[in-house]
Amino acid sequence: MKRIISYTVALTMLSVSLSPNLAEAVSVRKRNYYSLENRSQIEVRFGVRNDTHDLNDFYTDPALSRSGLGDAFVSFGYNYFADERTAFSLSLKVLAAEEIDYLDFAGGYTEEYSVVPIFVGMRHYLTAPGLRSPVRPYITLQAGPVFGSQRFLYYGLYDDTDTYTAVGAHFGGGIDMQAGRHFMIGINAGYNLMSDFDIELGDKDNYSGAEFGVGFGFVF
């Protein structure tokens, strides 16, 4: 009996001495679970945009048909988290892609065009220093070249393809939400500010405007 009591007392004292260390270890592990420092993320975003520089309205012409992204966009990005509040970002965005077909009694043509910004910049998360929360609001600023391409096919005569370049920037904000250690979803809103192309691509020469998107990312 004395031996059993001795073992019981010894185990109790050992568990009491280890409890603070175990609690601290669990707490550290929980904090590190949502840590982003020195990690990377690849993401894809889908959304809608509202351009502010329409020049012509072809939609009312019965001889013309259009197919493509319309007011939607898709973006592919990479983010590197230097610390819990700062991420350096690279994004390739298909801002516009469309085919326009025109056909009437006099003939017709096909125009295919796309607008693709490639931006670099950073995100600054608005969480408190040292806080590793699964919900992270942020502001972002990016800038870089904007590439436009156009193929113009006039039936029976010629097929011409050209590329054009503008410059642009994106500023805005959003909220990233971690769904576990390796997955992230987010929402964002912002404004794309761009210079004019030399010609009209589609029905506009400038694709500045607001956007709203939803993103899905993998963190590693």
Side-chain angles (χ1 to χ4, degrees), residues 15-35:
S15 63
V16 170
S17 64
L18 290 178
S19 292
N21 295 328
L22 290 173
E24 182 179 357
V26 171
S27 178
V28 169
R29 183 178 179 184
K30 185 177 181 181
R31 290 198 306 270
N32 290 338
Y33 185 79
Y34 291 112
S35 175

Side-chain angles (χ1 to χ4, degrees), residues 57-67 98-104 109 111:
D57 185 4
F58 292 124
Y59 290 95
T60 58
D61 192 334
L64 187 143
S65 62
R66 310 169 72 118
S67 60
E98 194 168 28
E99 178 179 310
I100 301 173
D101 295 299
Y102 184 87
L103 180 63
D104 62 13
Y109 66 85
E111 178 188 356

Side-chain angles (χ1 to χ4, degrees), residues 112-132:
E112 300 172 353
Y113 72 92
S114 62
V115 177
V116 180
I118 300 179
F119 289 162
V120 295
M122 63 182 300
R123 293 180 187 176
H124 176 69
Y125 288 91
L126 303 177
T127 52
L131 179 63
R132 298 173 182 179

Side-chain angles (χ1 to χ4, degrees), residues 96 112-117 145-150 162-166 197 199 201 207:
E112 300 172 353
Y113 72 92
S114 62
V115 177
V116 180
V146 184
F147 298 99
S149 66
Q150 181 189 57
D162 293 295
T163 58
Y164 305 91
T165 305
F197 287 109
I199 67 166
L201 295 175
Y207 280 80

Side-chain angles (χ1 to χ4, degrees), residues 58-185:
F58 292 124
Y59 290 95
T60 58
D61 192 334
L64 187 143
S65 62
R66 310 169 72 118
S67 60
L69 289 178
D71 293 330
F73 73 87
V74 59
S75 175
F76 305 93
Y78 169 80
N79 300 301
Y80 173 73
F81 300 95
D83 55 46
E84 298 297 335
R85 304 181 70 195
T86 305
F88 298 100
S89 57
L90 168 68
S91 67
L92 184 153
K93 186 181 303 182
V94 183
L95 196 63
E98 194 168 28
E99 178 179 310
I100 301 173
D101 295 299
Y102 184 87
L103 180 63
D104 62 13
F105 66 91
Y109 66 85
T110 294
E111 178 188 356
E112 300 172 353
Y113 72 92
S114 62
V115 177
V116 180
I118 300 179
F119 289 162
V120 295
M122 63 182 300
R123 293 180 187 176
H124 176 69
Y125 288 91
L126 303 177
T127 52
L131 179 63
R132 298 173 182 179
S133 168
V135 180
R136 301 171 184 255
Y138 66 86
I139 55 176
T140 183
L141 175 63
Q142 295 180 307
V146 184
F147 298 99
S149 66
Q150 181 189 57
R151 181 190 180 198
F152 192 83
L153 175 62
Y154 194 84
Y155 298 135
L157 292 179
Y158 65 90
D159 185 345
D160 183 56
T161 301
D162 293 295
T163 58
Y164 305 91
T165 305
V167 294
H170 172 84
F171 55 91
I175 301 175
D176 282 341
M177 295 164 284
Q178 288 180 255
R181 180 162 170 79
H182 295 288
F183 297 96
M184 184 179 291
I185 59 176

